[in-house]
Amino acid sequence: MSDRLSQLEKLHAADPNDPFVTYGIALEHGKAGAFDTALDWLDRTLAIDRTYCYAYYQKAKMHSELGDDAKARAVLNEGIAVARQAGGPDAAHAAEEMGQLLTELDG
């Protein structure tokens, strides 16, 4: 286990409802190639904060890595809709990145 993951798990134990921490844990698992575990943590992130837009982006990337581009597209479409509804510059940027990934998957 990486030091970063260990630190994130300690933070999660202290505050299991922090979406930044659950998202970080997901990314660490993704970096290690544990995509199924990472997807679980991304789902936890979205359960805590449905508008954590980058979780949709990462979730779609991981589904694509697992060879399920159809699922990745569905996640991106959902994420783009949520980001547009959420509004704000961060959500707009996330929607733009999700749109670019969707274009790549369709290309």
Side-chain angles (χ1 to χ4, degrees):
M1 176 183 310
S2 74
D3 287 340
R4 179 158 167 72
L5 182 56
S6 178
Q7 291 172 344
L8 287 166
E9 287 178 344
K10 287 177 186 172
L11 291 170
H12 179 261
D15 184 2
N17 291 315
D18 184 340
F20 181 75
V21 173
T22 56
Y23 179 75
I25 292 171
L27 294 185
E28 289 302 309
H29 284 290
K31 287 179 194 174
F35 298 122
D36 289 330
T37 302
L39 287 167
D40 178 56
W41 282 98
L42 289 168
D43 285 339
R44 292 182 194 196
T45 302
L46 293 170
I48 295 166
D49 182 356
R50 182 180 164 276
T51 64
Y52 204 98
C53 297
Y54 285 105
Y56 293 99
Y57 176 83
Q58 290 297 328
K59 188 174 174 181
K61 283 182 65 174
M62 290 182 198
H63 278 298
S64 183
E65 287 289 330
L66 290 168
D68 194 345
D69 286 347
K71 182 73 172 179
R73 283 185 196 89
V75 169
L76 288 168
N77 285 322
E78 179 183 1
I80 290 168
V82 169
R84 287 184 178 150
Q85 186 178 32
D90 287 340
H93 187 257
E96 182 180 328
E97 287 192 14
M98 286 186 277
Q100 289 172 356
L101 182 56
L102 189 58
T103 299
E104 290 173 23
L105 291 174
D106 287 341

